[in-house]
């Protein structure tokens, strides 16, 4: 489908976003999402890919003791934020906006000396752009392309353009050139390669560089989204560009974004939530007491997370079977639930779990991400729990104390010396004259 307006879609997006009012509550919510993203970033340092990224930043052409190129800084922070699989997720677009927008906005804001409120406004606008583009791409795009990687550059460019004070024409140029850099394929899933982290980092970097160039008058295509050789024509065979501007009078898309309580692919979360309920009843049952376990879910969850045998920590984070077996057996899913010992413990139960695509979950996606878990005992007893959404969704949000506790845990995992103080500084961004320093290289 094509837009009904003669105004290019990127220009419509810029006008819509710049005109949208941001209340004090909106800024406070944005600060919570920044806290969540920063905690993921700092926690991501304590991982094999995180250490490799820090070696690249410290031993490559960019030294942390010298001025660090803003685009490369955004790439590093974005990639770190997307490692532990505990960063936010916007359901309608299937985009992780925080790992792209927050690093890009942070890198530019630190360079420009922006205030906390100006930074948070840019974060709101960046979330709005990346998720609105994602709302239109369609399910066929997601089967090949990683939406965070392909839609992310629009959000990072918008956030950077706002912090740079670019006018409407220059912002459209930035979005055009950012969109032309959209890329990111799911092929990494077959081997558990580290590429997914690079997706977030590149999307953050692409937007920063596009905005910096636009500030110098470097032009970009105004119809990058809907043009005959644009993004939707190239990569969205069942996309609907009219969805990009849908429900424009609603709340900021950041407010409609979910936070993750568990460190695994978001597609596993409604089933984890259901399995944790069943654990309360079944925690005394042994493997010989269980006849069958079935997970009912939607197509995208099946396509990405039907993995009965997880051969690595990262594959386990994308395995419905491993996550459900762990939740049923342990009654919790933590950062330690995916290592060699955890996979070995869960293997027997996980290998026998069947995943099915069924309604109502199939037809409700992506509006709702739901699942059910059914356990049939050897004596014929059936136990079942179902979720229309997951913990952390707007319908069942994490409360601010929960977000702070999660963030402090992630920062402690990442070796941050004073996580409470940093968390308090990030929560206070709506009134801050400047952004605090982040111990990314510490």
């Amino acid at each position: 489908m094509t837009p009904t307006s003669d105004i290019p879609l990127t220009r419509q997006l810029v006008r819509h976003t710049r005109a949208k009012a941001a209340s004090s509550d909106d800024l406070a919510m944005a600060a919570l999402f920044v806290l969540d993203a920063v905690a993921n970033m700092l926690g991501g340092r304590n991982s094999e890919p995180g250490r490799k990224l820090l070696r690249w930043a410290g031993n490559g052409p960019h030294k942390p003791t010298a001025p660090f190129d803003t685009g490369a800084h955004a790439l590093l922070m974005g990639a770190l934020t997307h490692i532990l699989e505990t960063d936010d997720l916007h359901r309608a677009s299937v985009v992780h906006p925080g790992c792209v927008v927050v690093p890009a906005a942070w890198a530019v804001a630190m360079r420009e000396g922006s205030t906390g409120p100006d930074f948070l406004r840019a974060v709101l606008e960046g979330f709005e752009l990346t998720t609105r583009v994602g709302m239109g791409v369609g399910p066929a795009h997601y089967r090949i392309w990683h939406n965070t990687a392909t839609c992310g550059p629009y959000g990072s460019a918008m956030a950077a353009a706002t912090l740079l004070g670019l006018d409407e024409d220059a912002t459209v140029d930035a979005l055009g050139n950012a969109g032309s850099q959209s890329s990111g394929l799911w092929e990494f899933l077959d081997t558990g390669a580290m590429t997914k982290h690079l997706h977030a980092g590149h999307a953050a970097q692409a937007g920063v560089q596009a905005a910096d160039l636009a500030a110098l008058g470097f032009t970009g295509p105004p119809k990058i989204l809907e043009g005959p050789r644009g993004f939707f024509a190239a990569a969205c065979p069942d996309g609907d560009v009219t969805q990009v501007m849908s429900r424009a009078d609603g709340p900021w898309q950041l407010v409609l974004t979910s936070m993750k309580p568990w460190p695994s692919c978001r597609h596993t979360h409604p089933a984890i939530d259901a399995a944790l309920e069943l654990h309360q009843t079944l925690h005394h049952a042994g493997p010989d007491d269980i006849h069958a376990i079935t997970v009912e879910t939607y197509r995208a969850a099946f396509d990405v997370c039907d993995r009965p045998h997880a051969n690595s920590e990262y594959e386990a984070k994308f395995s419905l079977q491993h996550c459900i077996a762990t939740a049923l057996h342990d009654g919790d899913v933590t950062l330690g639930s995916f290592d060699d010992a955890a996979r070995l413990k869960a293997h027997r139960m996980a290998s026998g779990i069947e995943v099915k695509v069924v309604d109502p979950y199939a037809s409700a996606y992506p509006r709702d991400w739901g699942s059910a878990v059914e356990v049939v005992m050897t004596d014929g007893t059936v136990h079942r729990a179902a979720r229309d959404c997951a913990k952390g969704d707007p319908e069942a949000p994490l409360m601010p104390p929960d977000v702070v506790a999660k963030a402090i845990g992630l920062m402690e995992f990442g070796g941050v010396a004073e996580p409470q103080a940093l968390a308090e500084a990030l929560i206070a961004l709506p009134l801050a004259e400047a952004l605090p320093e982040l111990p990314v290289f510490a």
Side-chain angles (χ1 to χ4, degrees):
M1 298 177 68
T2 57
T4 56
S5 173
D6 293 332
I7 302 171
L9 194 50
T10 48
R11 191 172 293 275
Q12 291 183 54
L13 280 167
V14 172
R15 290 180 180 177
H16 155 76
T17 306
R18 290 268 169 86
K20 202 169 182 66
S23 68
S24 58
D25 287 343
D26 292 325
L27 293 180
M29 183 66 77
L32 279 177
F33 276 90
V34 169
L35 171 62
D36 189 64
V38 167
N40 274 280
M41 181 194 307
L42 298 175
R45 301 180 309 169
N46 185 15
S47 66
E48 183 182 357
R51 286 183 281 273
K52 291 181 186 297
L53 285 160
L54 288 168
R55 283 188 62 193
W56 164 78
N59 297 327
H62 306 290
K63 307 289 186 182
T65 55
F68 197 49
D69 170 77
T70 309
H73 201 172
L75 187 155
L76 172 66
M77 293 192 296
L80 288 173
T81 305
H82 202 40
I83 289 174
L84 297 180
E85 287 297 329
T86 52
D87 52 314
D88 57 42
L89 186 283
H90 182 269
R91 289 176 301 180
S93 63
V94 203
V95 166
H96 299 271
C99 63
V100 175
V101 174
V102 172
W106 194 280
V108 174
M110 290 297 288
R111 186 187 70 191
E112 300 296 317
S114 304
T115 67
D118 287 344
F119 164 74
L120 294 174
R121 171 76 200 200
V123 168
L124 283 166
E125 293 189 9
F127 269 60
E128 193 78 5
L129 261 288
T130 191
T131 56
R132 283 196 168 277
V133 173
M135 284 159 59
V137 298
H141 177 86
Y142 186 65
R143 294 188 190 110
I144 302 294
W145 301 95
H146 182 202
N147 291 15
T148 300
T150 58
C151 306
Y154 298 98
S156 58
M158 187 69 198
T162 295
L163 288 165
L164 293 174
L166 300 190
D167 64 17
E168 183 178 295
D169 290 342
T171 303
V172 170
D173 286 334
L175 292 173
N177 283 328
S180 199
Q181 299 177 71
S182 294
S183 63
L185 300 163
W186 278 109
E187 183 63 22
F188 69 86
L189 268 180
D190 289 344
T191 60
M194 299 176 184
T195 310
K196 188 168 188 271
H197 322 316
L198 193 61
H199 286 180
H202 171 260
Q205 180 187 43
V208 168
Q209 293 178 336
D212 277 345
L213 286 167
L216 299 173
F218 201 94
T219 60
K223 292 188 176 182
I224 188 62
L225 289 171
E226 76 277 26
R229 291 173 294 277
F231 177 59
F232 275 79
C236 309
D238 60 354
D240 182 357
V241 294
T242 64
Q243 291 301 308
V244 173
M245 292 300 298
S246 64
R247 299 177 294 281
D249 295 333
W252 288 96
Q253 294 301 315
L254 180 143
V255 177
L256 304 178
T257 302
S258 303
M259 286 191 184
K260 285 185 175 183
W262 303 295
S264 59
C265 177
R266 186 64 180 180
H267 292 308
T268 67
H269 282 212
I272 288 175
D273 209 3
L276 290 174
E277 177 186 329
L278 293 177
H279 169 80
Q280 304 301 316
T281 302
L282 304 176
H283 65 279
H284 292 303
D288 293 333
D289 298 320
I290 297 176
H291 173 66
I293 303 173
T294 302
V295 177
E296 298 176 357
T297 190
Y298 48 90
R299 170 57 61 181
F302 181 90
D303 290 344
V304 176
C305 297
D306 178 29
R307 190 165 284 102
H309 306 289
N311 298 313
S312 68
E313 182 173 345
Y314 204 62
E315 286 187 16
K317 289 174 178 280
F318 285 82
S319 168
L320 272 163
Q321 288 89 342
H322 175 82
C323 291
I324 299 323
T326 299
L328 286 171
H329 185 273
D330 296 348
D332 200 4
V333 178
T334 69
L335 289 169
S337 296
F338 305 93
D339 61 18
D340 293 346
R343 295 196 308 277
L344 182 63
K345 182 174 69 174
H347 173 74
R348 179 179 176 185
M349 184 184 292
S351 62
I353 295 176
E354 182 181 10
V355 180
K356 295 181 178 180
V357 178
V358 300
D359 278 331
Y361 313 112
S363 57
Y365 177 84
R367 182 188 68 256
D368 298 315
W369 294 30
S371 293
V373 178
E374 184 172 281
V375 180
V376 180
M377 311 302 287
T378 53
D379 65 2
T381 305
V382 177
H383 300 275
R384 181 181 175 87
R387 294 290 186 274
D388 293 327
C389 60
K391 183 178 180 180
D393 282 339
E395 299 88 347
L398 298 183
M399 295 293 103
D402 299 322
V403 178
V404 173
K406 172 192 171 184
I408 289 174
L410 285 169
M411 288 192 280
E412 288 176 343
F413 179 78
V416 175
E418 298 182 8
Q420 181 71 46
L422 180 54
E424 291 173 359
L426 294 171
I427 291 294
L429 280 172
L431 299 175
E433 290 297 318
L435 276 58
E437 292 286 341
L438 297 183
V440 175
F441 293 102

